[in-house]
Amino acid sequence: MLAEFEIKQITNHKDYPYDLLLLADETVAAINKYLFDSNVFVVHEQQQPIAVFCLYPIDSETLEIKNIAVAASHQNKGLGSEILQYIQETYRVQYPNLIVGTADCGLDQIRFYERNGFVQYGVRANFFIDNYEQPIYENGQLLRDMVLLKYHP
């Protein structure tokens, strides 16, 4: 299915699709903390952006997925899983460690990553309290900790 789409790396900061990025992160300020140091890719369908993902090299062996978002019109069709598979296949030699973090109460996101071969390995305590100016709620719960997951084929 991903073969039907075009993946382009964004090199001009003016081209960042904040509308899509904001689907996976709460504020532009939070996104800008990692965006300019990340490799940003947009998935296009008929030249329209339908998904985005940001990859941040932590070190020579570890790549972190900082943002992965799919437009509402394309959600629940397997595109997110295909993007993860693309990342896993494209970067597994250069970066044997692929990690991602998500909210501790983001149960759908945690299940999504686990279905795609990720396992939980840690927690960044108070991440959402310390890194966001305003409290963030998801599923009626205050976001506090970040659950860390690592790809384990």
Side-chain angles (χ1 to χ4, degrees), residues 79-113:
L79 182 56
S81 294
E82 290 197 41
I83 291 170
L84 281 180
Q85 184 178 5
Y86 170 84
I87 295 167
Q88 293 159 350
E89 291 174 1
T90 303
Y91 294 97
R92 72 172 163 232
V93 172
Q94 183 177 359
Y95 295 103
N97 301 313
L98 180 62
I99 63 171
V100 66
T102 194
D104 57 346
C105 59
L107 302 180
D108 290 340
Q109 295 92 322
I110 292 170
R111 282 194 294 270
F112 167 73
Y113 288 114

Side-chain angles (χ1 to χ4, degrees), residues 55 63-66 68 80-81 83-89 96-102 109-121 147-153:
L55 305 176
L63 187 64
E64 182 173 1
I65 301 170
K66 287 287 197 178
I68 181 170
S81 294
I83 291 170
L84 281 180
Q85 184 178 5
Y86 170 84
I87 295 167
Q88 293 159 350
E89 291 174 1
N97 301 313
L98 180 62
I99 63 171
V100 66
T102 194
Q109 295 92 322
I110 292 170
R111 282 194 294 270
F112 167 73
Y113 288 114
E114 290 177 338
R115 277 196 317 269
N116 285 284
F118 286 77
V119 295
Q120 295 183 36
Y121 75 92
V147 173
L148 302 171
L149 300 105
K150 181 177 184 177
Y151 178 62
H152 193 270

Side-chain angles (χ1 to χ4, degrees), residues 123-128 130 144-146:
V123 172
R124 289 183 186 154
N126 293 318
F127 178 86
F128 294 97
D130 296 341
R144 181 175 308 281
D145 300 333
M146 177 183 282

Side-chain angles (χ1 to χ4, degrees), residues 6-25:
E6 183 179 16
I7 300 173
K8 291 183 183 176
Q9 184 170 1
I10 301 298
T11 54
N12 186 337
H13 297 172
K14 295 177 184 175
D15 294 333
Y16 290 147
Y18 280 96
D19 57 330
L20 288 172
L21 292 162
L22 285 164
L23 295 173
D25 211 330

Side-chain angles (χ1 to χ4, degrees), residues 125-137:
N126 293 318
F127 178 86
F128 294 97
I129 303 295
D130 296 341
N131 289 286
Y132 291 83
E133 289 184 22
Q134 299 294 321
I136 302 169
Y137 292 87

